[in-house]
Amino acid sequence: AEKMEKQVTDNIRYYRALLLRNHCGSIRKKYMESFLNKKISVSIEKSDKEKLTAYGMSEEYIKVMLPLKSSNEHNAIIQGRIYDVIVTGVSENWLEGEFLN
């Protein structure tokens, strides 16, 4: 393709790439919104005691952020363990949720 005649300009390439990124972002957000108020399984990867937050990955390979209620809850979290979570919100890059039981 590099040696073909009639190459598109850098501006057109940039614009087309921008359109694709925006389209992919809207598809991703719709997909993530489909999990709202549903139960998912999340493997906890890390937690932050200062921010009282745990982070993990769902079975669908979506990042999940989980606010913790206390440092006791933080201490009970086991990295690598899979927890049931209810999805309570969607941000641009991850789901937000709460631990079930």
Side-chain angles (χ1 to χ4, degrees):
E2 180 182 325
K3 296 179 183 182
M4 290 176 64
E5 293 181 29
K6 299 183 182 180
Q7 297 284 323
V8 295
T9 66
D10 287 343
N11 286 342
I12 292 173
R13 262 186 288 231
Y14 174 81
Y15 178 71
R16 288 177 180 174
L18 180 65
L19 286 176
L20 282 172
R21 282 193 299 275
N22 288 339
H23 183 65
C24 289
S26 67
I27 291 171
R28 177 176 168 76
K29 184 154 186 168
K30 280 183 186 177
Y31 177 67
M32 289 172 47
E33 287 172 345
S34 73
F35 292 98
L36 269 172
N37 301 313
K38 293 184 180 168
K39 183 177 93 169
I40 61 172
S41 297
V42 176
S43 174
I44 299 301
E45 296 177 341
K46 66 180 181 174
S47 61
D48 186 324
K49 191 171 187 173
E50 289 180 18
K51 294 180 182 178
L52 286 178
T53 308
Y55 304 91
M57 187 71 70
S58 75
E59 290 179 315
E60 297 79 16
Y61 298 102
I62 301 172
K63 293 178 183 179
V64 182
M65 188 273 297
L66 302 146
L68 303 173
K69 294 177 177 74
S70 67
S71 57
N72 287 339
E73 189 176 24
H74 173 269
N75 295 337
I77 298 292
I78 300 170
Q79 273 185 298
R81 182 171 173 202
I82 297 173
Y83 292 88
D84 287 332
V85 168
I86 187 83
V87 177
T88 59
V90 176
S91 80
E92 191 171 322
N93 297 312
W94 61 79
L95 298 174
E96 297 172 11
E98 294 178 4
F99 289 100
L100 292 174
N101 50 27

